[in-house]
Amino acid sequence: MDARIAQLVTNADTRFSRRGPESDVVFSSRVRLARNLAGYPFVDRLSVFDREKIVSTFTKASAELLDPDSYFLLNASELEQADLLCLLERQLVSREFLDGEQERAVLVERAENFSIMVIEEDHLRIQALAAGFDLETPWRRVNDLDNSYEEHLPFAFDEKHGYLTACPTNVGTGARLSVMLHLPALILTNESERAFRAIQKMKLELRGLYGEGSKPLGDFYQVSNQATLGMAEEEILHHLLTVIPKVVEYERKARERLVEKEEQQTLDRIYRGVGILKSARKIRAEEAMSHLSYLRMGAHLGLQQEVPAEKIDELFLRIQPAHLEQAAGRPLDEDEALAARAEYLRRELA
Amino acid sequence: MDARIAQLVTNADTRFSRRGPESDVVFSSRVRLARNLAGYPFVDRLSVFDREKIVSTFTKASAELLDPDSYFLLNASELEQADLLCLLERQLVSREFLDGEQERAVLVERAENFSIMVIEEDHLRIQALAAGFDLETPWRRVNDLDNSYEEHLPFAFDEKHGYLTACPTNVGTGARLSVMLHLPALILTNESERAFRAIQKMKLELRGLYGEGSKPLGDFYQVSNQATLGMAEEEILHHLLTVIPKVVEYERKARERLVEKEEQQTLDRIYRGVGILKSARKIRAEEAMSHLSYLRMGAHLGLQQEVPAEKIDELFLRIQPAHLEQAAGRPLDEDEALAARAEYLRRELA
């Protein structure tokens, strides 16, 4: 395990334990820019030499732009799979970055407010994250980074189309804005349909936690813009700022109805979850997340005071496989992971 | 609620909280005799007048035979349905007695070691119960009662066939011996087949808890002799004394294997059950009994020390619907009963 990643993991004050606006329903907000260096082919045609050149150029630029104590740069080839998985679980790299095989790197801000993947689908993917519903902070941050780096690294840009990207859907601003929603009540009451329609009508994409097509874990859904081609940044932002507050409202109303009409049933769900998390000897991540989901809703509704929302959000992160291995200090087989997760939860909730 | 039944329910030291031999696997033992008074038709042809006559004759005989402080006699017509159900849950009357409509009565020993139903399928059903695997104690008790009553009430008896009963299968000794087994490990490991075959080979009947054909609740099974016609008492007893120790052994071996081969899984099952019982806000009897079943096994295996076996056996009784109503002091609708059961369990296990 890389010592710098270990440091992130042991850090107590993380983005995950912080509260942001509307955090009862919005877990986190993220803005990502896709940029490519002028004078190089896109990633799928990069030579080994070009890859190394891009990484070293980027490294040099970073050294000039950023406070050296505020970040570290990891070369994927130096990392074990468990390290990479840990970064994925912390949303600092993408699944695509994880699955890559050739030279690639990632710059991680120690405070984890932003990271820059070097040679993912594009040469650079600059992303910033914030707790709760707050696209403005990461938006400002990626723009600052974009402007700073552009002074050192000429980006591929076309007067007509804007920033050029490997995938045409990203051409233009190259910006992807996304928001992670926690929608347990809409799912529980089978009322998600209306919210999901509103999202799709705005040409926004809806995905379960951990990637496309996957079953949403812990009732988390990621909403993001689909394409940037031909769309101004403001338009994308406007779409999200229009639809997300609606979905937040739908979820809150559904929660209120749960409390009004099915209080006993809702309390039962929440407390059974606590009971199981406090006592299981083996538990899968999916199951634990499903209990944590109701616990999170219960904390925000004041239905349970046993486990505060900040703690729950940390637990969502720390029961992931790579984080469990990190805590154990060694690889865990499937059975060991189930037991380690249960033990960790028992200890934290005792 | 009848005050005398309420007294039974509030009694702390009951048959249910006592330990008997092999009580890790054998919950209780019961012996029942079927007797009919000479000079009267069988129950299905009894006139109202005859019914009253039998009850009053029996009442008089009881007053002469028993210490008046040691028992009480309840006339079914004076009882509410909830009272009768409470007696059923305490195994003092049968389902058939409960469902009857005409004049009938039950004599209940305050210590609940025996009861006598008057006008069930036969004129008299004398039954005695003991904790654990102990047929001898109830056997002696019903025989003593049989002999005493026979001096005051001439029983229908035939030199060739023995005691005459309404149902031919009971003719002869009229004795039904039964043992309540707790077989969670055999069920869990899918190894019950061999035990059940051994039981059936001995012409013994196997039933789930609470009557024929019902799904066994809490992994409890009742084993009893099928017919008494042409069989000596000793033969019936011999069959049970042969097969029950075998089944006890099978169950114990299955438990040992669970601990050896699937300790984590078994602990997980037990502790999840504790977790749910301690935290649920609504719970059905079936579910609660299924958790209590593993908890009971865990107590006997020393896998959990949180809840002692005696306590668990009490809980099995007290989470039944009529006992919950008794504790609440009023009738409960379905939702209230689910909540009352959960609340009771939370309080008792806190």
Side-chain angles (χ1 to χ4, degrees):
Chain A
M1 180 66 73
D2 186 275
R4 292 160 294 182
I5 294 177
Q7 183 60 50
L8 293 183
V9 169
T10 50
N11 198 343
D13 174 36
T14 70
R15 188 176 77 255
F16 300 92
S17 59
R18 259 171 258 145
R19 304 284 82 190
E22 330 291 353
S23 64
D24 55 333
V25 181
V26 186
F27 193 76
S28 62
S29 303
R30 192 178 61 154
V31 175
R32 188 214 70 195
L33 290 181
R35 292 292 180 263
N36 288 277
L37 274 57
Y40 292 91
F42 285 132
V43 167
D44 57 351
R45 300 214 190 146
L46 279 182
S47 67
V48 174
F49 179 76
D50 282 341
R51 283 179 173 260
E52 284 172 4
K53 192 91 185 292
I54 290 174
V55 171
S56 71
T57 307
F58 173 79
T59 304
K60 207 153 56 175
S62 303
E64 289 174 32
L65 289 168
L66 305 173
D67 170 2
D69 291 338
S70 73
Y71 76 95
F72 53 85
L73 227 150
L74 299 165
N75 199 305
S77 61
E78 297 163 5
L79 298 176
E80 295 165 31
Q81 189 66 15
D83 289 323
L84 287 165
L85 207 53
C86 213
L87 293 174
L88 178 72
E89 290 172 359
R90 300 183 81 79
Q91 297 175 268
L92 297 168
V93 302
S94 63
R95 169 66 65 180
E96 190 161 347
F97 184 85
L98 199 74
D99 294 342
E101 283 176 354
Q102 290 187 279
E103 177 82 5
R104 64 208 188 285
V106 59
L107 182 149
V108 175
E109 192 213 15
R110 288 188 194 278
E112 292 181 84
N113 296 306
F114 72 88
S115 69
I116 304 175
M117 287 179 273
V118 188
I119 312 184
E120 194 237 29
E121 188 180 291
D122 293 289
H123 297 165
L124 299 186
R125 291 245 161 145
I126 306 169
Q127 65 161 11
L129 300 111
F133 187 33
D134 173 16
L135 286 162
E136 211 191 309
T137 308
W139 181 258
R140 245 186 298 119
R141 189 161 273 140
V142 293
N143 270 313
D144 288 350
L145 288 165
D146 182 34
N147 293 335
S148 308
Y149 275 98
E150 196 159 23
E151 285 172 24
H152 291 73
L153 311 168
F155 290 148
F157 185 83
D158 179 277
E159 285 298 333
K160 189 171 157 211
H161 296 109
Y163 287 101
L164 301 177
T165 54
C167 178
T169 56
N170 294 323
V171 169
T173 63
R176 194 171 176 104
L177 281 63
S178 63
V179 162
M180 184 82 83
L181 299 171
H182 184 226
L183 307 177
L186 286 176
I187 304 304
L188 210 51
T189 56
N190 268 319
E191 293 171 24
S192 58
E193 190 58 32
R194 190 170 58 145
F196 291 174
R197 260 206 316 272
I199 289 166
Q200 277 147 355
K201 238 170 76 180
M202 281 294 189
K203 293 210 168 38
L204 295 170
E205 195 175 290
L206 181 75
R207 302 195 297 187
L209 185 58
Y210 296 118
E212 283 152 281
S214 61
K215 196 181 154 291
L217 294 178
D219 304 312
F220 284 109
Y221 287 85
Q222 190 178 288
V223 176
S224 59
N225 58 308
Q226 289 176 315
T228 60
L229 176 61
M231 281 176 101
E233 291 157 2
E234 289 69 25
E235 199 180 347
I236 298 168
L237 196 60
H238 174 74
H239 280 187
L240 279 160
L241 293 180
T242 307
V243 80
I244 298 299
K246 265 191 208 165
V247 177
V248 169
E249 204 46 40
Y250 292 162
E251 170 66 19
R252 283 184 185 152
K253 284 263 185 279
R255 291 183 188 182
E256 277 168 33
R257 276 193 300 278
L258 275 181
V259 174
E260 271 168 35
K261 295 191 182 156
E262 298 179 47
E263 187 174 10
Q264 207 58 20
Q265 182 90 13
T266 305
L267 281 171
D268 184 51
R269 241 182 261 272
I270 294 168
Y271 278 100
R272 275 173 182 256
V274 184
I276 290 170
L277 294 172
K278 276 182 164 178
S279 55
R281 257 55 185 171
K282 293 171 87 166
I283 194 160
R284 288 183 309 125
E286 292 78 358
E287 188 196 342
M289 290 177 78
S290 142
H291 299 313
L292 286 174
S293 172
Y294 295 133
L295 214 54
R296 186 180 200 276
M297 178 175 77
H300 284 291
L301 286 172
L303 292 178
Q304 68 91 6
Q305 275 94 30
E306 259 186 86
V307 196
E310 293 77 6
K311 176 89 179 176
I312 297 164
D313 287 355
E314 279 268 359
L315 291 178
F316 271 114
L317 175 69
R318 295 187 184 279
I319 61 167
Q320 305 301 321
H323 276 77
L324 289 176
E325 292 201 345
Q326 168 64 35
R330 64 180 181 86
L332 301 171
D333 68 25
E334 204 187 313
D335 255 8
E336 290 173 331
L338 294 176
R341 183 175 297 111
E343 202 190 317
Y344 176 74
L345 284 163
R346 282 206 309 284
R347 200 172 51 237
E348 290 296 312
L349 297 177
Chain B
M1 180 67 71
D2 186 276
R4 290 160 297 181
I5 295 176
Q7 182 61 49
L8 292 183
V9 169
T10 51
N11 198 345
D13 174 36
T14 70
R15 188 175 76 254
F16 300 92
S17 61
R18 259 171 257 145
R19 303 284 83 188
E22 330 291 353
S23 64
D24 55 333
V25 181
V26 186
F27 193 76
S28 62
S29 303
R30 192 177 62 154
V31 175
R32 188 214 69 194
L33 291 181
R35 292 292 180 262
N36 287 278
L37 273 59
Y40 291 91
F42 284 133
V43 167
D44 58 351
R45 301 219 190 143
L46 278 182
S47 66
V48 173
F49 179 76
D50 282 343
R51 282 179 173 258
E52 283 173 4
K53 192 93 185 291
I54 289 172
V55 171
S56 71
T57 305
F58 174 80
T59 304
K60 207 152 58 173
S62 303
E64 287 174 33
L65 288 169
L66 306 173
D67 171 1
D69 290 338
S70 72
Y71 75 97
F72 53 83
L73 226 151
L74 299 164
N75 199 303
S77 60
E78 295 162 5
L79 298 176
E80 294 164 32
Q81 190 65 14
D83 289 323
L84 287 165
L85 206 53
C86 211
L87 293 174
L88 177 73
E89 290 173 0
R90 300 183 82 78
Q91 297 176 270
L92 296 168
V93 302
S94 64
R95 169 64 66 180
E96 191 163 344
F97 183 85
L98 200 74
D99 293 342
E101 285 178 352
Q102 290 187 280
E103 176 82 4
R104 62 206 191 284
V106 58
L107 182 150
V108 175
E109 193 212 15
R110 288 188 194 278
E112 292 182 83
N113 295 306
F114 71 88
S115 69
I116 304 175
M117 286 179 274
V118 187
I119 313 183
E120 194 237 28
E121 187 180 291
D122 293 288
H123 297 167
L124 299 185
R125 292 244 159 144
I126 306 169
Q127 65 160 12
L129 301 111
F133 188 31
D134 173 15
L135 285 162
E136 211 191 308
T137 308
W139 180 259
R140 246 186 297 119
R141 190 161 274 141
V142 293
N143 269 311
D144 288 349
L145 288 165
D146 183 34
N147 293 334
S148 308
Y149 275 97
E150 196 160 21
E151 286 172 24
H152 291 70
L153 310 168
F155 289 149
F157 185 82
D158 177 278
E159 283 301 331
K160 190 172 156 212
H161 296 108
Y163 287 100
L164 301 177
T165 54
C167 178
T169 56
N170 294 324
V171 168
T173 63
R176 194 171 177 106
L177 280 63
S178 64
V179 163
M180 184 81 83
L181 299 170
H182 184 226
L183 307 176
L186 286 176
I187 304 305
L188 211 51
T189 57
N190 267 320
E191 292 171 23
S192 58
E193 190 58 31
R194 189 169 58 144
F196 292 173
R197 261 208 314 273
I199 289 167
Q200 276 145 359
K201 237 170 79 179
M202 280 293 188
K203 294 209 165 43
L204 296 171
E205 196 176 290
L206 181 75
R207 304 195 294 187
L209 185 58
Y210 297 119
E212 284 152 279
S214 63
K215 196 178 154 292
L217 295 178
D219 304 311
F220 284 109
Y221 286 86
Q222 188 178 290
V223 176
S224 60
N225 59 308
Q226 290 177 314
T228 59
L229 176 62
M231 281 177 98
E233 292 158 3
E234 289 70 24
E235 199 181 346
I236 298 168
L237 195 61
H238 175 74
H239 281 186
L240 279 159
L241 293 180
T242 306
V243 80
I244 298 299
K246 266 193 209 165
V247 177
V248 168
E249 205 45 39
Y250 292 162
E251 169 66 19
R252 284 185 185 150
K253 285 263 184 279
R255 291 183 189 183
E256 278 168 32
R257 277 194 300 278
L258 275 181
V259 174
E260 272 166 36
K261 296 192 182 156
E262 298 179 49
E263 187 174 8
Q264 207 59 23
Q265 182 89 15
T266 305
L267 281 172
D268 185 51
R269 239 182 263 273
I270 293 168
Y271 278 100
R272 275 173 183 254
V274 185
I276 291 171
L277 293 174
K278 275 181 165 179
S279 54
R281 258 52 183 173
K282 290 172 87 166
I283 195 162
R284 288 184 310 126
E286 293 77 359
E287 187 196 343
M289 289 178 78
S290 143
H291 299 314
L292 286 173
S293 172
Y294 294 133
L295 214 55
R296 186 181 200 275
M297 178 175 78
H300 284 292
L301 285 171
L303 292 178
Q304 67 90 6
Q305 276 93 30
E306 260 186 84
V307 196
E310 293 76 7
K311 175 90 178 175
I312 297 163
D313 287 356
E314 279 268 357
L315 291 178
F316 271 115
L317 175 69
R318 295 186 183 280
I319 61 167
Q320 304 303 320
H323 276 77
L324 289 176
E325 292 202 344
Q326 167 64 36
R330 63 180 181 88
L332 301 171
D333 68 25
E334 204 186 315
D335 256 8
E336 289 173 331
L338 295 174
R341 182 176 297 110
E343 202 191 317
Y344 176 75
L345 284 162
R346 284 206 309 284
R347 201 172 49 234
E348 290 295 311
L349 297 176

